[in-house]
Amino acid sequence: MSINWFPGHMHKARKEIAEVMPQVDIIIEMLDARIPYSSENPLVSQLRKDTPCIKVLNKADLADPSRTDLWVKHLEQERGIRALPTNQQEPQAIKRLLDLCEQLLPERNLALKGARAMIMGIPNVGKSTFINILAGRTIAKTGNEAGVTKSQQRIKLEQNVVLTDTPGFLWPKLSPASCGYRLAITGAIKDTAFDYADIALFAADFLLEHYPEALQQRYALDELPQQGLELMDCIGAKRGCMRKGGVVDLQKAGTILIGDLRTGQLGPLTLETPDMITGECLQAEQEAAAKAKEKAEREKIRQQRAKKKYR
């Protein structure tokens, strides 16, 4: 199953950002520390060009610290990029962002000439709460759902930085397909755009491979199942998610697993690593090339048949 969510207001947000981008001195992109690649919008890199960028790995308290360190090193390999892990429980760490703005603009004396910053990110990554902490007052509307911010606004911050807030937006086609699943699992996609049982099975298979102890402890499992579907059956049986005939209700069991993952009940975890993503992207490129070749061959056959028909 392919998961995509690109409503009209996201297309509008992308166009507005592209119009303002030439006036921006520094970009702040909010990422989810649990899925740094999947939450990194490829449209941002296309729009920013050489503009300095701070990648904020938000919700770092919910992420695996060792994997967060890997991602910081990986992201900072790109020129003009700095990575900053943050969480809402440590406001002082969030305010370090203003110091990073100065460091990335060494030729600029912010006391004399302020910096124009733009903050972007996927839906429900915590951008509005982050802005409120940074500004020291409630400015941006917050909500535990995707797509709360709908329009741009400018905010005056300390150290002579003016911040333009933008609506959260995704991109038209999520690739590799696993990115769509991870975005859905972490709450960046509206619940109406996917099936809970489907994404829960994806999460279950991953967690069994990478965080088995967390599953065993959370759900009091004497033995770990081998497959995601078996894990869902165990969770459903433990939590009373049963249908008539003694069959587990996968939707209810999936809602429990995803809810526990999102709220940190399974402990800190990260759903992807740089090496994992490299492999997935390579596979996606190979599959795309194979499909393109197949399509070209079909078109060639179609044209040949058309020529014979009209001779």
Side-chain angles (χ1 to χ4, degrees):
M1 176 180 172
S2 177
I3 298 174
N4 285 286
W5 184 50
F6 194 70
H9 74 270
M10 290 189 184
H11 177 66
K12 178 185 176 184
R14 182 186 181 281
K15 289 179 64 178
E16 291 176 348
I17 288 169
E19 291 172 0
V20 177
M21 187 65 70
Q23 307 166 23
V24 173
D25 299 312
I26 191 162
I27 293 169
I28 301 160
E29 184 180 10
M30 298 282 292
L31 308 179
D32 187 323
R34 298 167 295 178
I35 52 168
Y37 177 84
S38 295
S39 60
E40 186 179 38
N41 195 327
L43 297 177
V44 172
S45 61
Q46 295 172 17
L47 292 170
R48 83 172 186 90
K49 298 180 181 178
D50 294 328
T51 306
C53 181
I54 301 172
K55 304 276 188 180
V56 177
L57 278 69
N58 200 32
K59 304 185 181 181
D61 55 321
L62 299 176
D64 185 330
S66 62
R67 292 190 172 185
T68 298
D69 290 341
L70 286 176
W71 277 108
V72 169
K73 293 174 183 176
H74 176 77
L75 292 169
E76 291 189 342
Q77 289 176 2
E78 186 177 348
R79 184 180 177 186
I81 299 286
R82 293 292 298 274
L84 177 66
T86 64
N87 68 77
Q88 295 165 11
Q89 283 68 47
E90 297 181 1
Q92 290 307 313
I94 290 176
K95 292 185 176 181
R96 281 186 51 218
L97 181 134
L98 296 174
D99 295 329
L100 283 180
C101 287
E102 288 198 65
Q103 293 174 24
L104 285 170
L105 297 170
E107 74 291 345
R108 178 77 62 88
N109 185 338
L110 295 187
L112 298 176
K113 185 180 180 181
R116 296 161 297 184
M118 175 181 283
I119 188 165
M120 292 182 282
I122 63 169
N124 203 28
V125 75
K127 182 164 57 67
S128 296
T129 300
F130 181 90
I131 290 171
N132 291 337
I133 292 174
L134 200 59
R137 60 194 188 280
T138 301
I139 295 174
K141 182 181 177 182
T142 63
N144 189 27
E145 62 175 327
V148 173
T149 304
K150 291 292 194 296
S151 60
Q152 292 186 13
Q153 63 174 327
R154 292 187 177 182
I155 303 146
K156 185 73 167 63
L157 302 177
E158 295 177 359
Q159 296 175 231
N160 209 8
V161 174
V162 176
L163 180 68
T164 298
D165 182 20
T166 61
F169 70 103
L170 295 170
W171 46 107
K173 185 177 181 180
L174 303 174
S175 180
S178 54
C179 288
Y181 278 86
R182 294 185 189 113
L183 287 163
I185 287 167
T186 52
I189 294 177
K190 285 249 184 191
D191 287 359
T192 53
F194 59 83
D195 180 82
Y196 259 97
D198 184 39
I199 67 166
L201 285 171
F202 180 94
D205 284 330
F206 175 87
L207 294 169
L208 281 170
E209 181 180 354
H210 295 269
Y211 296 98
E213 297 86 359
L215 292 171
Q216 199 157 12
Q217 182 176 352
R218 177 62 181 168
Y219 302 113
L221 302 174
D222 295 329
E223 293 184 7
L224 277 171
Q226 297 299 310
Q227 297 180 345
L229 185 56
E230 294 174 9
L231 174 63
M232 298 291 288
D233 284 340
C234 290
I235 294 173
K238 289 265 185 183
R239 299 296 178 87
C241 304
M242 307 301 292
R243 300 167 65 181
K244 288 183 179 179
V247 178
V248 169
D249 187 325
L250 292 179
Q251 290 289 341
K252 290 183 178 179
T255 301
I256 289 173
L257 178 61
I258 297 302
D260 285 347
L261 189 154
R262 287 179 179 176
T263 56
Q265 299 300 314
L266 293 168
L269 52 87
T270 299
L271 301 179
E272 58 194 21
T273 66
D275 288 344
M276 183 191 306
I277 291 300
T278 298
E280 289 183 359
C281 289
L282 179 60
Q283 183 179 350
E285 289 173 5
Q286 292 172 343
E287 290 174 354
K291 287 182 180 179
K293 183 179 179 181
E294 182 181 346
K295 182 179 179 181
E297 289 175 349
R298 288 200 305 267
E299 177 62 19
K300 184 179 179 180
I301 293 171
R302 187 194 67 79
Q303 291 179 0
Q304 289 173 345
R305 288 175 177 173
K307 286 180 181 179
K308 288 180 180 179
K309 183 177 180 180
Y310 293 105
R311 277 180 181 173

